[in-house]
Amino acid sequence: MPTLFDAVTFGDLKLKNRIVMAPLTRNRSPRAVPNDLNVVYYEQRATAGLIVSEGTAVTQQGQGYADVPGLYLPEALEGWKKITDAVHARGGAIVAQLWHVGRISHVSLQKDGAAPVAPSAVAAKSKTYIINEDGSGGFAETSEPRALELAELPGIADDFAKAARAAVDAGFDGVEIHGANGYLLDQFLKDGANQRTDAYGGSIENRARLTLEVVDAVAKAIGAGRTGIRLSPTTPANDITDSNPQALFDYVVEQLATRGLAFIHVIEGATGGPRDHQYAGASFDYDAFKATYVKAGGKAAWLLNNGYTADTAKQAVESGRADLVSFGRPFIANPDLVRRIKDDAAWNEINPKTLYGGGAEGYTDYPTLEAAE
């Protein structure tokens, strides 16, 4: 019977335990460049079996929030190299989450104030984090997007592939393609945002086309064994919906099963909300979803996320329901979360006022058990 604390290898990733730090946007990398404070933050959490970096934009067009890092500037790659070196020095593993936000952006974040891009010119009823004219940070309504032209879509896949190569060059052990939470690939997948009538819209096969093209481009660039993907079949995050998520995501994982990926990262229910959330008029069975993947021959690590406790994470791995479990907010307040789970120790409470933006407070100053001792 496997446990959370067993070492495991999936694809080219060798992990010292099965506890994963989920991607967490913290808005502490001004000008999209990781800095020395970011190095400390990631190094503190390197006891995780795997760290998935915060969402990292593949291009400026893919940038949707102020002060989040990218993978498209030379100085950003230099900053990431310091982070990956620090994580590896502590025996950790880290992958970069490749991010294109699509319509979840603001004109102030786009080159020359351009409109954000999306599968269709449908605005999201959502907000993003920007820097105001007075230098303060705050949330603002997302801007009206424009629909991507058919001729632009091969370039999107190429942007992901270039970012994946840059990530590996910067020392990452691999990448996670962000196909979740209402961002660009999820917008193409789900019919609430995708109203196209060409080869990338309408049928499930068409709506899944761009995601699979991105997966193939990234796997070709760095190897399937270094590649994972994050999916969120039923989250309403960023105003995303689908009329038949079971059919859609069963098709997606049947296709992914043939591609030899390292891991599939699944957000159960609403991101940061109820694990049993379903879209109105639709239903989704997460266990059947995994069974579809396995039946299709999939052998990637099945990584589950959303609201897990120490006990439910242990049960998920020991029962075989998951190979790995990721924790988001608990890792913010508990840099030594792995030890706290293993020792059945109390968890620090998170400070919601310091989640986004700022400096060391609420970022690198949460106490460890060792410090308390």
Side-chain angles (χ1 to χ4, degrees), residues 191 234 236 240-245 276-284:
D191 57 18
T234 64
I240 200 75
T241 61
D242 191 77
S243 61
N244 191 355
D276 59 355
H277 179 272
Q278 303 280 342
Y279 292 134
S283 62
F284 195 88

Side-chain angles (χ1 to χ4, degrees), residues 17-26 38 41-54 87 93-95 97 176 230 265 303 305 324-335 337-338 363:
N17 60 61
R18 298 170 186 240
I19 298 172
V20 177
M21 177 176 161
L24 295 157
T25 297
R26 304 303 308 279
N38 305 150
Y41 171 75
Y42 282 103
E43 182 181 31
Q44 288 176 337
R45 289 153 179 82
T47 54
L50 178 68
I51 293 175
V52 182
S53 83
E54 60 204 283
V87 170
I94 183 169
V95 297
Q97 189 188 59
E176 174 182 279
R230 198 176 205 209
H265 193 176
L303 169 54
N305 170 264
L324 313 164
V325 175
S326 71
F327 296 84
R329 290 192 172 207
F331 259 115
I332 291 177
N334 299 277
L337 184 65
V338 174
Y363 188 58

Side-chain angles (χ1 to χ4, degrees), residues 243-261:
S243 61
N244 191 355
Q246 192 79 56
L248 169 62
F249 282 91
D250 282 355
Y251 172 78
V252 170
V253 291
E254 284 174 343
Q255 297 303 307
L256 293 176
T258 68
R259 286 166 161 84
L261 301 186

Side-chain angles (χ1 to χ4, degrees), residues 76-369:
L77 300 183
E78 292 172 7
W80 277 123
K81 186 67 168 66
K82 294 179 182 178
I83 291 171
T84 59
D85 284 347
V87 170
H88 291 150
R90 291 198 62 195
I94 183 169
V95 297
Q97 189 188 59
L98 305 184
W99 198 18
H100 193 309
V101 301
R103 66 181 183 169
I104 309 302
S105 188
H106 191 272
V107 291
S108 67
L109 300 167
Q110 296 291 314
K111 185 178 180 180
D112 301 325
V117 298
S120 305
V122 179
K125 296 176 183 177
S126 188
K127 292 186 177 182
T128 186
Y129 186 87
I130 66 171
I131 302 299
N132 299 311
E133 291 184 2
D134 63 2
S136 64
F139 286 90
E141 299 288 337
T142 53
S143 300
E144 190 86 19
R146 70 168 178 86
L148 282 159
E149 299 289 339
L150 187 63
E152 294 179 277
L153 298 184
I156 297 292
D158 190 47
D159 287 339
F160 273 88
K162 288 178 180 177
R165 286 193 293 268
V168 171
D169 288 344
F172 283 100
D173 298 290
V175 302
E176 174 182 279
I177 297 165
H178 199 341
N181 290 351
Y183 296 114
L184 184 66
L185 297 183
D186 205 26
Q187 292 161 28
F188 269 87
L189 286 169
K190 292 176 179 172
D191 57 18
N194 187 341
Q195 299 179 3
R196 301 177 74 96
T197 57
D198 58 18
Y200 290 82
S203 69
I204 285 173
E205 292 80 4
N206 282 357
R207 285 184 278 127
R209 190 182 308 277
L210 181 61
T211 296
L212 296 175
E213 288 177 348
V214 167
V215 169
D216 290 342
V218 169
K220 182 178 180 180
I222 65 169
R226 291 175 179 248
T227 304
I229 187 170
R230 198 176 205 209
L231 304 171
S232 56
T234 64
T235 187
N238 291 313
D239 193 30
I240 200 75
T241 61
D242 191 77
S243 61
N244 191 355
Q246 192 79 56
L248 169 62
F249 282 91
D250 282 355
Y251 172 78
V252 170
V253 291
E254 284 174 343
Q255 297 303 307
L256 293 176
T258 68
R259 286 166 161 84
L261 301 186
F263 63 91
I264 312 291
H265 193 176
V266 180
I267 302 169
E268 297 175 304
T271 305
R275 289 166 45 80
D276 59 355
H277 179 272
Q278 303 280 342
Y279 292 134
S283 62
F284 195 88
D285 185 327
Y286 281 90
D287 290 333
F289 177 49
K290 181 187 177 185
T292 297
Y293 177 71
V294 173
K295 184 178 179 180
K299 293 180 171 58
W302 198 254
L303 169 54
L304 295 181
N305 170 264
N306 198 18
Y308 277 87
T309 65
D311 287 341
T312 58
K314 291 174 184 176
Q315 292 165 8
V317 170
E318 290 170 7
S319 69
R321 187 168 179 270
D323 298 301
L324 313 164
V325 175
S326 71
F327 296 84
R329 290 192 172 207
F331 259 115
I332 291 177
N334 299 277
D336 57 346
L337 184 65
V338 174
R339 181 184 170 187
R340 289 175 186 269
I341 293 174
K342 194 168 188 176
D343 292 356
D344 196 25
W347 294 5
N348 294 325
E349 292 293 324
I350 199 168
N351 181 359
K353 295 180 181 179
T354 57
L355 287 176
Y356 304 109
E361 183 184 3
Y363 188 58
T364 57
D365 63 349
Y366 283 104
T368 63
L369 289 172

